[in-house]
Structure formats: structure tokens, C-alpha cells
Amino acid sequence: MLQIAALVNSIVIGLELFLAWGFTQSRVIRNILTLLYGSSLGILIPFVTAVGMGALAVYFLEYWQQHFLLNRTNLWVLVLCVFLGLVLKSFLPIPPFLASLSEAALIGVTVGIFWKGRPYWR
């Protein structure tokens, strides 16, 4: 589960690095990010990203970890692992364009994992 959480957080870190590079190098990306974060959508972007991280983590877990039965306990452990990755990511000097360590991120990751992992609630 830690490997899957590391993979999901690495994907988000890669996207944030691309956005940070694009913000400094490209006027188009700078204008798009300014427009998105300057509007009312700027509040929802971190939450939606966290939901996507949770759903992506369950997708990878379904794809690579087919040798054991998924259940509620495993999903909660996955929430903990993905959030632990966000804690470690907060120590990196990367601007948090998409996901950061916050209460909204914890709620979003939990919603994403349990939304995608609905068949495994039993």
C-alpha cells in the first residue's frame, strides 16, 4: 500500500513540477493558472485533486494487488498511506498547485478512496 501511495504522490508531484515550470516559463500556463485560481474554482481544485488521488490509488490497488481481498480496513490503511505521502510532500520545496497538507485534502482522499472502493466496503 505504501508503494501505491508513493506512486500516486509521485504523479501529483510530477504534475506540480510541470505546472511550476510552466508558470515560470509559459505565459499561457501562467494565465490559465491565474484564471483558475483567481476564480471560485480555485477553492475546489485541491479538493478535487485529492478525490482524484484517492480514486487513482484504489485503481492502482485493484490493478496490482489482486492476490488479496480488499475490504474496509485495507481502504482505511490506504487513506493513511496516501495522507502520509502528502505529509512527506509538504516538506519538499514544491509549490502546492494541486494538493497540499490540509483538512480538505484528507476529506478528499477519503471520499475518493471510498467512492472508488465502494464494492469493497463489506
Side-chain angles (χ1 to χ4, degrees):
M1 300 234 186
L2 283 173
Q3 293 170 341
I4 291 169
L7 176 64
V8 169
N9 279 293
S10 297
I11 290 170
V12 170
I13 288 171
L15 287 172
E16 285 180 339
L17 287 173
F18 174 75
L19 288 175
W21 175 80
F23 187 80
T24 60
Q25 301 295 322
S26 171
R27 173 176 266 159
V28 173
I29 293 177
R30 184 180 316 121
N31 290 340
I32 290 172
L33 288 175
T34 304
L35 179 70
L36 281 176
Y37 284 100
S39 68
S40 60
L41 290 176
I43 297 170
L44 293 176
I45 290 173
F47 179 75
V48 171
T49 302
V51 170
M53 287 175 67
L56 189 64
V58 173
Y59 174 76
F60 286 148
L61 188 66
E62 289 172 344
Y63 186 73
W64 282 315
Q65 302 293 334
Q66 297 175 356
H67 62 276
F68 65 90
L69 182 63
L70 290 174
N71 58 21
R72 234 179 319 193
T73 305
N74 293 342
L75 295 177
W76 279 112
V77 170
L78 188 60
V79 168
L80 178 68
C81 291
V82 172
F83 195 69
L84 178 65
L86 284 175
V87 169
L88 294 176
K89 182 181 135 346
S90 70
F91 293 118
L92 297 175
I94 300 171
F97 282 114
L98 297 176
S100 63
L101 183 62
S102 66
E103 187 176 310
L106 176 61
I107 294 169
V109 166
T110 306
V111 166
I113 286 175
F114 280 95
W115 172 63
K116 176 73 171 118
R118 188 175 311 147
Y120 309 114
W121 285 1
R122 49 187 154 86

